[in-house]
Amino acid sequence: MAIDDRIAKYFVTAADLEIPGERVPITSSECRVAHLIDGSSYFGALRQEVDAMKQAGPGNRFFYFTDWVLTLTEYHATAPVGGVPSAWDQKFDSYAFHLDDSSGAAFPPFLDELAAMTAAGVDVRALAWVSPFVLTLDKVAKQVGYRNHGASTLSVKAIREQPGMAKKACLDVLAHPVGAIHLKMVVCGNDTDARGYVSGIDFQPGRVDARNHPSGKPGGRAAGGRGWHDIGVRVEGPGVDTIYSSFRRLWDEQIARDPERFRLGDEQIASHESDYEPVPDRTFAPVAGGTHHVQVLRTFPRPPTLAFGETPQVPANCLFRIIGGSRRPGLSFAPDGIFEFRAALKKAIAAAETYIYVEDQAFTGREIMEWIHDRMIARPDLKVIFVHGTDPVDPPENQKLRNMAVNEHLAPGVPNVGDRVAFYFRTDGVVVHTKSWIIDDEYAIVGSANAMRRSLYMDGELSVGVLDENQGAGSFAVKYRCDLWAEHCGVYDDAGRAAFADLDSAIRIWDASWSVGGGAGAPAGTIKPFLQRKRVPFSQGPAPDQIAPADPFMPADAAERAQLEIVYDVNDGDSRLEY
């Protein structure tokens, strides 16, 4: 199929828009995109950028980044963090982040490298999301469990203490009160040449991990943490424009507001100061020989509708009734919200013909499950593969919401659903933090947006949708799939990965009975034993393909179901609702 036909099939157009807030993402051609699987690859690519920028170079160089959680300082004590009306004391272990490519080399603290880039003339800027309610109100902090805001606050303070960086870091307080600015991105380069990095990966020590996920990494499993499986992309060419402008819009929006101040021990830390400089406008040229077409997919919330008192979503004793009396402005550049990721994901699922592959930590999005349900009914041969690994810090209610989404919104009425859906749980203590989709060896999405409702409507998100003019073994989607599926079979060498290029044999690693090309050969590899398939619809019991009896399953009765609906509206929120 010609590239123009595939662009029409997978990329969002004006005809696909359904609701206020959906927009047609900017489509960029002549780009080059590289997939970066796990921390070793992602941080390794950034390692090269930082090493170059610490050296003398041309003028107008920049290194901008955003984080959901930023951990640049080492800290192992109780830090009073908060403000009026009630401060809270936080005990957290903070290991200073190092930009570690898992090579075994010793690298300086990343905080020092930010200062070194600044000393070399690079414009370094950081946006770290924090909730003003978590930093201010003990009740909110205890309820939502976002204690990592202290680490982000201390990190911003530490950046400002570096030479030349006093006005180079903002506490990002732009989120919807029940949401987050969840995007994780780096954009760096100069006025004519730049790279954009988009992922689910924060500058946090627990995200440092190699492709084979060994234990023993600093701040990781050896220190009681988890392994971390995650993915990013590096974009070159005009596709960087939207990534860059996303940072610029957030930075400029933050500094245009009055500063907010929070107590940090005996000090006060401001979100920013009134004389911070705006980010310059820049655009970037095509890449010679670039064959990739890109849509950068944004989610930003609608301005919050906050109620005084009870609403159907917020009971009287809920913590968000505190928030209910706090009116906060929406984003000036998103008066109806921006829901590009929603439009793109829905269209991609509706275009699937052979397979849908998705990795995620959540799978609670009911609307997303309904789109897959509808496509499976329309395409009786469609195969669906889920790879899942929960983060232990996520509340147990999320597991029940996942089970409800699958059993009540995906499975009902789908013929042979248990044979056509391969839902794998990772059980070796490695979090599958990826937020990525591959459709039919043609189209791929990588970024920060989860398979959750909040990523469609609530949180600040950034993902990248990619099509390649090339098809077959040399295309972006196929090379990405080969690397990813090979890792799940413990294969890391180039020759071994090449065996996964044939989709008919590769897809049999998930179910030996499947075929997409009419063949009957052996699977391309063997899935690692810690990936356990759960039969869909889920049931609870002792069998390996069931949800373990000790794990959260489904609501036990009508009262618990009603409570879970409230949890769903908050934990997997929607900025179009009234809170």
Side-chain angles (χ1 to χ4, degrees), residues 323-400:
I323 299 174
S326 302
R327 302 283 181 180
R328 301 185 67 80
L331 298 169
S332 64
F333 58 86
D336 294 316
I338 298 177
F339 307 139
E340 293 169 346
F341 174 71
R342 178 197 186 272
L345 182 59
K346 184 176 183 181
K347 182 166 187 176
I349 291 171
E353 298 179 9
T354 303
Y355 77 89
I356 296 171
Y357 177 83
V358 54
E359 294 189 4
D360 205 272
Q361 75 180 96
F363 294 114
T364 57
R366 298 172 182 179
E367 194 173 356
I368 296 170
M369 293 298 175
E370 289 168 1
W371 298 337
I372 298 173
H373 165 276
D374 293 348
R375 192 57 181 167
M376 293 189 76
I377 289 178
R379 298 287 302 189
D381 294 330
L382 182 68
K383 313 295 191 298
V384 179
I385 305 144
F386 297 96
V387 175
H388 176 51
T390 59
D391 188 339
V393 304
D394 289 340
E397 291 85 0
N398 280 14
Q399 297 181 52
K400 294 185 178 183

Side-chain angles (χ1 to χ4, degrees), residues 88-416:
W88 52 278
D89 289 341
Q90 177 185 24
K91 171 71 166 69
F92 65 94
D93 287 326
S94 171
Y95 294 83
F97 174 74
H98 296 67
L99 192 61
D100 187 343
D101 61 5
S102 299
S103 64
F107 299 109
F110 192 52
L111 179 64
D112 294 348
E113 297 200 278
L114 297 178
M117 287 191 286
T118 300
V122 178
D123 180 16
V124 177
R125 305 196 199 197
L127 278 169
W129 169 66
V130 294
S131 164
F133 304 104
V134 170
L135 288 178
T136 303
L137 299 168
D138 181 60
K139 183 176 181 181
V140 176
K142 289 177 179 176
Q143 289 279 351
V144 302
Y146 283 154
R147 298 295 187 178
N148 55 19
H149 288 261
S152 295
T153 306
L154 287 169
S155 296
V156 166
K157 176 177 181 289
I159 290 172
R160 293 171 179 170
E161 292 171 346
Q162 305 309 302
M165 301 192 75
K167 299 173 183 177
K168 296 296 186 179
C170 287
L171 292 176
D172 183 345
V173 295
L174 299 175
H176 188 287
V178 192
I181 300 297
H182 188 244
L183 57 88
K184 304 104 188 292
M185 54 158 286
V186 175
V187 60
C188 57
N190 57 48
D191 284 349
T192 59
D193 179 34
R195 278 77 52 206
Y197 293 81
V198 176
S199 72
I201 308 176
D202 295 289
F203 289 146
Q204 202 272 344
R207 275 57 164 171
V208 175
D209 212 348
R211 296 291 302 274
N212 61 346
H213 301 286
S215 60
K217 56 191 174 67
R221 280 182 279 176
R226 287 88 58 198
W228 206 263
H229 174 65
D230 219 329
I231 299 171
V233 289
R234 179 182 61 225
V235 180
E236 299 173 84
V240 179
D241 289 359
T242 309
I243 301 169
Y244 182 91
S245 68
S246 295
F247 182 92
R248 181 173 60 85
R249 286 180 179 275
L250 288 170
W251 178 276
D252 290 356
E253 182 92 11
Q254 182 63 62
I255 67 171
R257 299 188 180 188
D258 292 336
E260 297 184 52
R261 301 184 186 280
F262 309 98
R263 203 185 81 200
L264 184 67
D266 294 330
E267 303 179 61
Q268 288 215 348
I269 182 168
S271 55
H272 62 285
E273 297 295 348
S274 57
D275 56 351
Y276 277 31
E277 294 183 357
V279 171
D281 193 8
R282 293 178 169 105
T283 57
F284 305 101
V287 174
T291 64
H292 297 150
H293 297 252
V294 166
Q295 283 191 329
V296 177
L297 312 172
R298 301 171 297 168
T299 301
F300 288 111
R302 282 184 58 183
T305 304
L306 301 173
F308 291 91
E310 293 187 57
T311 76
Q313 287 77 35
V314 186
N317 62 351
C318 181
L319 70 102
F320 292 108
R321 191 164 179 198
I322 301 171
I323 299 174
S326 302
R327 302 283 181 180
R328 301 185 67 80
L331 298 169
S332 64
F333 58 86
D336 294 316
I338 298 177
F339 307 139
E340 293 169 346
F341 174 71
R342 178 197 186 272
L345 182 59
K346 184 176 183 181
K347 182 166 187 176
I349 291 171
E353 298 179 9
T354 303
Y355 77 89
I356 296 171
Y357 177 83
V358 54
E359 294 189 4
D360 205 272
Q361 75 180 96
F363 294 114
T364 57
R366 298 172 182 179
E367 194 173 356
I368 296 170
M369 293 298 175
E370 289 168 1
W371 298 337
I372 298 173
H373 165 276
D374 293 348
R375 192 57 181 167
M376 293 189 76
I377 289 178
R379 298 287 302 189
D381 294 330
L382 182 68
K383 313 295 191 298
V384 179
I385 305 144
F386 297 96
V387 175
H388 176 51
T390 59
D391 188 339
V393 304
D394 289 340
E397 291 85 0
N398 280 14
Q399 297 181 52
K400 294 185 178 183
L401 293 172
R402 172 203 64 203
N403 299 342
M404 292 168 68
V406 170
N407 281 16
E408 298 176 1
H409 298 268
L410 168 64
V414 176
N416 305 314

